[in-house]
Amino acid sequence: MPDFNRRDALKMSASFALAAAAGGFSCVEMAKADPIEVPTIDKLSVRVLVDSASDIFFKPQAAGGVKTEPGRSADTTRPLHSEWGLSLLLEPQRGDEKRTFLLDFGWTPETINGNMDLLKVDPAKIDTLIMSHGHFDHWGGLLGFLDKHRKELPADLTMYAGGEDNFCQRYARVGQGELSDYGMLDRRDIAKQNVKIVLCESPVVIGGQAFTTGKIKRNSIEKVLPNSMVEFKLKDGAGCNWSHYLPAEMEGKIVPDEHIHEHATCFNLKDKGLIVISSCGHVGIVNSVRQAMEVSGVEKVHAIMGGFHLGPAPADYLTQVVSEIGKLNPDVLIPMHCSGLNFTQEAQRQMPGKVLTTTTGSRITFGI
């Protein structure tokens, strides 16, 4: 696929302005392509609201100055629910200033809303939303979350999304190669909730404490492993405006999903280095970390965490990728969601003492 550059971004920005003026895309803007000054934080707490596994026997762990501890349901008759998907509550702090970001929303609203209740998470403290990419298991709970909590959230609520292909129609393969609907997030449903969308084609600072990688360069050994199929189309106000970053012949075609605009959410922890959170890492976790390093100018990597989409990886490829992660020399590696047990075991073999595990409900603290 052709690379996306600043000229394309300007074209797309113009197309969004025209569409917005015509009533097509309300509450949408493009992040500026100007250089960013990456902020430094003193602490970070991450609460795992939704993940793919539960463990009621989870014990506290620590490595490299990072601590994980279990989260318990406030109602002993109701367990926390795990499902295929991810949602993380991010609480950075710089001095006396605290922020709260909600990164991704799991597969179903019942899970994210139910777990927030059981973990006693106050939705009124959430000031910003972040969406990593357009897979249903990361945004499926969004609209139900907004239905329940929009009145408690800031009036000027903003959601930062990786880019335009977050809103494309996706399909999953079932049976003997048949395609099944895998959902499409309609930005009009978000606009109805009075949520502004910022598309982060370029890196952007969020809330003065986090930053996104912007579009991730693909310059490592990594490749996008088979996942969903995607259809580039814009019809009746729904779908994705593909026209300024893909060839015209792509219109309406269903093709393997390359996740053009998946981005990572990052922090620069004082005296420790980068914390890079990859929700699914389809574009490659090494690529994602290298992009964060380039964007921030920070060479030290403190922690790499999130989903790495290496569960389906062949053994030889997995070994290579873990070796490349090792060369980044992170203090801590925290696999979640789609990383795969195979990845965790290989990482523990190659990087002993650096791998921390988590479970639905657990809390991870940095800067302790």
Side-chain angles (χ1 to χ4, degrees), residues 204-234:
V204 60
V205 173
I206 298 179
Q209 299 205 23
F211 69 97
T212 71
T213 56
K215 186 184 175 189
I216 296 170
K217 297 176 184 176
R218 305 173 190 212
N219 53 17
S220 74
I221 64 162
E222 295 168 303
K223 56 190 176 184
V224 178
L225 297 176
N227 56 99
S228 58
M229 305 291 284
V230 61
E231 183 177 9
F232 297 103
K233 66 178 182 180
L234 181 64

Side-chain angles (χ1 to χ4, degrees), residues 26-30 157-161 167 186-188 190-191 195-199:
S26 57
C27 300
V28 177
E29 69 178 44
M30 293 286 292
L157 184 65
T158 296
M159 183 174 78
Y160 293 84
F167 305 99
D186 191 332
R187 74 191 78 217
R188 294 174 299 184
I190 302 173
V195 177
K196 183 174 75 171
I197 301 170
V198 174
L199 299 183

Side-chain angles (χ1 to χ4, degrees), residues 347-360:
Q348 289 171 333
R349 186 184 72 81
Q350 291 195 37
M351 304 170 64
K354 287 192 172 186
V355 180
L356 290 178
T357 58
T358 64
T359 180
T360 297

Side-chain angles (χ1 to χ4, degrees), residues 174-310:
V174 295
Q176 298 299 315
E178 299 176 5
L179 294 181
S180 175
D181 182 9
Y182 194 32
M184 179 182 70
L185 181 58
D186 191 332
R187 74 191 78 217
R188 294 174 299 184
D189 292 331
I190 302 173
K192 290 175 184 176
Q193 295 282 5
N194 192 30
V195 177
K196 183 174 75 171
I197 301 170
V198 174
L199 299 183
C200 305
E201 301 281 357
S202 300
V204 60
V205 173
I206 298 179
Q209 299 205 23
F211 69 97
T212 71
T213 56
K215 186 184 175 189
I216 296 170
K217 297 176 184 176
R218 305 173 190 212
N219 53 17
S220 74
I221 64 162
E222 295 168 303
K223 56 190 176 184
V224 178
L225 297 176
N227 56 99
S228 58
M229 305 291 284
V230 61
E231 183 177 9
F232 297 103
K233 66 178 182 180
L234 181 64
K235 183 179 179 181
D236 300 327
C240 52
N241 184 13
W242 53 271
S243 60
H244 291 287
Y245 62 94
L246 287 173
E249 59 266 23
M250 295 294 287
E251 181 178 11
K253 288 189 176 182
I254 300 175
V255 297
D257 200 341
E258 291 286 327
H259 296 281
I260 301 170
H261 295 130
E262 183 174 356
H263 64 162
T265 303
C266 311
F267 297 89
N268 181 25
L269 183 64
K270 184 179 179 180
D271 299 327
K272 293 288 187 178
L274 295 177
I275 301 169
V276 181
I277 305 174
S278 170
S279 295
C280 242
H282 291 102
V283 300
I285 187 59
V286 175
N287 286 333
S288 301
V289 175
R290 286 179 177 176
Q291 181 75 15
M293 294 167 69
E294 179 179 334
V295 166
S296 64
V298 178
E299 294 294 322
K300 174 58 183 170
V301 179
H302 180 47
I304 306 171
M305 64 181 294
F308 306 152
H309 197 72
L310 288 162

Side-chain angles (χ1 to χ4, degrees), residues 48-241:
V48 183
L49 298 181
V50 181
D51 199 356
S52 307
S54 296
D55 182 359
I56 63 172
F57 301 119
F58 187 84
K59 298 291 192 299
Q61 306 170 24
V66 180
K67 181 173 68 174
T68 61
E69 53 192 335
R72 306 297 187 200
S73 169
D75 182 346
T76 55
T77 66
R78 294 174 56 204
L80 297 171
H81 186 70
S82 293
E83 65 182 8
W84 188 257
L86 191 66
S87 179
L88 302 175
L89 189 75
L90 312 177
E91 299 177 288
Q93 181 174 344
R94 182 174 62 182
D96 295 329
E97 182 185 5
K98 298 180 180 180
R99 301 299 302 268
T100 303
F101 309 134
L102 181 57
L103 170 60
D104 289 348
F105 316 94
W107 196 315
T108 65
E110 293 80 9
T111 298
I112 185 173
N113 288 336
N115 285 355
M116 286 179 66
D117 289 343
L118 292 173
L119 291 168
K120 298 296 185 182
V121 172
D122 183 0
K125 293 183 179 180
I126 297 171
D127 46 55
T128 302
L129 308 179
I130 306 171
M131 187 172 78
S132 62
H133 66 297
H135 266 175
F136 200 92
D137 54 323
H138 291 258
W139 63 259
L142 170 62
L143 298 179
F145 165 78
L146 290 173
D147 284 341
K148 181 175 182 179
H149 296 296
R150 182 63 186 95
K151 292 181 180 179
E152 304 166 74
L153 299 166
D156 59 347
L157 184 65
T158 296
M159 183 174 78
Y160 293 84
E164 181 59 20
D165 77 338
N166 285 259
F167 305 99
C168 292
Q169 173 68 53
R170 283 178 164 82
Y171 301 90
R173 288 198 180 279
V174 295
Q176 298 299 315
E178 299 176 5
L179 294 181
S180 175
D181 182 9
Y182 194 32
M184 179 182 70
L185 181 58
D186 191 332
R187 74 191 78 217
R188 294 174 299 184
D189 292 331
I190 302 173
K192 290 175 184 176
Q193 295 282 5
N194 192 30
V195 177
K196 183 174 75 171
I197 301 170
V198 174
L199 299 183
C200 305
E201 301 281 357
S202 300
V204 60
V205 173
I206 298 179
Q209 299 205 23
F211 69 97
T212 71
T213 56
K215 186 184 175 189
I216 296 170
K217 297 176 184 176
R218 305 173 190 212
N219 53 17
S220 74
I221 64 162
E222 295 168 303
K223 56 190 176 184
V224 178
L225 297 176
N227 56 99
S228 58
M229 305 291 284
V230 61
E231 183 177 9
F232 297 103
K233 66 178 182 180
L234 181 64
K235 183 179 179 181
D236 300 327
C240 52
N241 184 13

